[in-house]
Structure formats: C-alpha cells, structure tokens
Amino acid sequence: MRIDIITVLPELLRSPFEASILKRAQDKGLVEVHLHNLKEYGQGKHNQIDDYQFGGGAGMVMMVEPIFECIEKLQSERKYDQVIYMTPDGETFNQSHANQLSLQENLIILAGHYKGVDQRVRDHLITMELSIGDFVLSGGELAAAVVSDAIIRLLPGVLNDETSALTDSFQDNLLAPPVYTRPAEFRGWKVPDVLLSGHFQKIDDWRHEQAYQRTLNRRPDLLDDKK
C-alpha cells in the first residue's frame, strides 16, 4: 500500500510515521507513506497557497491551483483508489472505513487547513470526505495521521499477531471486553476464573458477553446499528 499525504505542515506529520508500528510497517515494505508539502506548488514568487474568500468573511481559504497541481501530478504517476479530504464536516471515520481502506492500493489524503479548501477541489478531485469527530482542529494533519494509523495496522504482517486486529473494539460493532495479564491476583483482586480455565469455548463466550455488556452500558448506539 502507498499513502500520499498532502499538507502545509509536513513537519507536524513526520514523527508519527517514524516510530512504533508505523515505522516497522514501512521498514518491512508493507506500506509507503509520502508527505507532500503543498507550499512547493504555491502560486507566484511567494508560493501562495491561500487567499481571502469571495464574499468576505473571516478566515483564509486554500487555493484551488496548488492542490490541483499536486494531486494531478501524483495521479499522472499512478492510479489512486481514493482521494480523501480530512474535514470537520466529512463523514465520521469509523472501523468500517478503516477496514475498507486497508484493502486499497494507493490513497491520497489531503489535510485541510485554514477555513477549508476551495469548493471546486471538493467537487472535482475529492472522492471521500472524512472527519475524526465533531470538533475542529487547527489543521487536518493529526486527523490524517489517525486515519493512516487505523488503516496501516490492519495490513497483513503489520501486527505480530494478525488476529489481534480482528478482536479490536468496533470490528463487530461491539467494544472490546476486559483484558488481564499476570499476576493472577493483585491486592486481593483476582482475574476471572474462566480466563484461567483453559476452556476456550467458555472463554470466548465470556468475552462475547462482557463485550456486549460493556457496549450496552457505554455505547448502546452501536447495538442499534446492528439491528
């Protein structure tokens, strides 16, 4: 897989991809992540990438020309499955999106900034608009990193135990059940006996029931989605 992220602040994005699972995935050749500085496509002698909005109003708007030049250059080099725009008014990103996108080969992610991008970019280049929640960040870089992380960890070979991702919260519209490790007793608090029983069917049943109850208590809306 290849992910190209277009940003006005590439330095803000470098560190997440230079550590932990995301770095190992790249070192293994399982994913390529390329950061593109939109300012390199800026207009005029000052490499301008934003301007005042027509009709007045507070806030600058990302200009259409630099974004088109950058994306069309990338598209001339390879075919992209999705051109994603990170924006607060996009569809709320969830595990289903991550699963779907992890099956793709090439993705472009445009990190929004300022007041947003010229609408013509959204109308004629973008194929998917995503948000990571009902709040506004200073830019789309951190949101792009979140989406990339959620996608990359699903790629075969990225996690040491490939079944781990299948039992994550939200994979089946349930939150993950409680988990325990050694010691079996701490300050009088014991691990549930069933987890020490070695009876895998009973353990699976217990985990499913715990996942259901946790979801019912904390996120009943997820259970509504299953109906």
Side-chain angles (χ1 to χ4, degrees):
M1 167 177 274
R2 175 181 172 121
I3 301 176
D4 289 273
I5 303 177
I6 303 170
T7 168
V8 300
L9 290 172
E11 59 273 17
L12 185 61
L13 270 168
R14 288 196 181 99
S15 60
F17 298 102
E18 294 176 350
S20 189
I21 289 174
L22 300 186
K23 182 178 187 301
R24 292 202 304 269
Q26 293 174 86
D27 291 344
K28 289 180 179 180
L30 301 173
V31 65
E32 294 180 32
V33 179
H34 298 270
L35 306 180
H36 303 273
N37 190 341
L38 190 61
K39 294 177 182 176
E40 295 179 3
Y41 298 85
Q43 302 294 294
K45 63 180 181 180
H46 298 298
N47 299 109
Q48 184 178 0
I49 59 169
D50 64 307
D51 208 338
Y52 296 104
Q53 54 181 311
F54 284 124
M60 305 294 280
V61 177
M62 295 173 70
M63 297 166 61
V64 65
E65 298 100 320
I67 297 173
F68 260 79
E69 286 187 22
C70 182
I71 291 179
E72 288 182 338
K73 179 179 184 298
L74 291 171
Q75 290 177 328
S76 72
E77 297 168 353
R78 67 193 58 81
K79 183 181 183 300
Y80 286 89
D81 300 290
Q82 296 284 358
V83 180
I84 302 166
Y85 174 45
M86 302 306 307
T87 174
D89 61 351
E91 187 175 352
T92 303
F93 181 70
N94 58 30
Q95 191 62 45
S96 178
H97 290 115
N99 293 342
Q100 171 198 346
L101 292 171
S102 72
L103 302 176
Q104 307 302 318
E105 270 189 53
N106 300 309
L107 302 173
I108 291 175
I109 302 179
L110 171 62
H113 240 279
Y114 314 119
K115 201 67 176 176
V117 302
D118 187 295
Q119 183 62 37
R120 289 166 290 189
V121 172
R122 302 175 73 165
D123 290 341
H124 302 290
L125 280 179
I126 302 302
T127 63
M128 177 180 286
E129 298 186 348
L130 294 176
S131 165
I132 61 168
D134 295 338
F135 50 87
V136 179
L137 300 171
S138 57
E141 284 77 15
L142 299 180
V146 166
V147 168
S148 298
D149 184 298
I151 294 169
I152 292 170
R153 66 188 304 279
L154 295 173
L155 300 178
V158 171
L159 299 180
N160 291 330
D161 182 355
E162 293 187 11
T163 64
S164 178
L166 299 178
T167 57
D168 287 339
S169 290
F170 308 113
Q171 280 291 9
D172 54 1
N173 273 29
L174 293 176
L175 301 180
V179 293
Y180 299 85
T181 188
R182 298 173 185 173
E185 183 174 347
F186 175 70
R187 296 184 180 179
W189 303 316
K190 296 181 179 180
V191 171
D193 290 338
V194 65
L195 297 179
L196 308 176
S197 69
H199 195 300
F200 295 115
Q201 184 58 56
K202 288 183 178 179
I203 292 171
D204 286 344
D205 292 344
W206 180 86
R207 285 174 170 162
H208 185 271
E209 177 59 25
Q210 291 292 315
Y212 177 83
Q213 289 299 327
R214 177 171 282 187
T215 307
L216 182 63
N217 292 334
R218 301 185 181 189
R219 290 291 305 277
D221 58 297
L222 294 175
L223 299 177
D224 292 338
D225 290 343
K226 295 184 73 173
K227 294 178 181 178

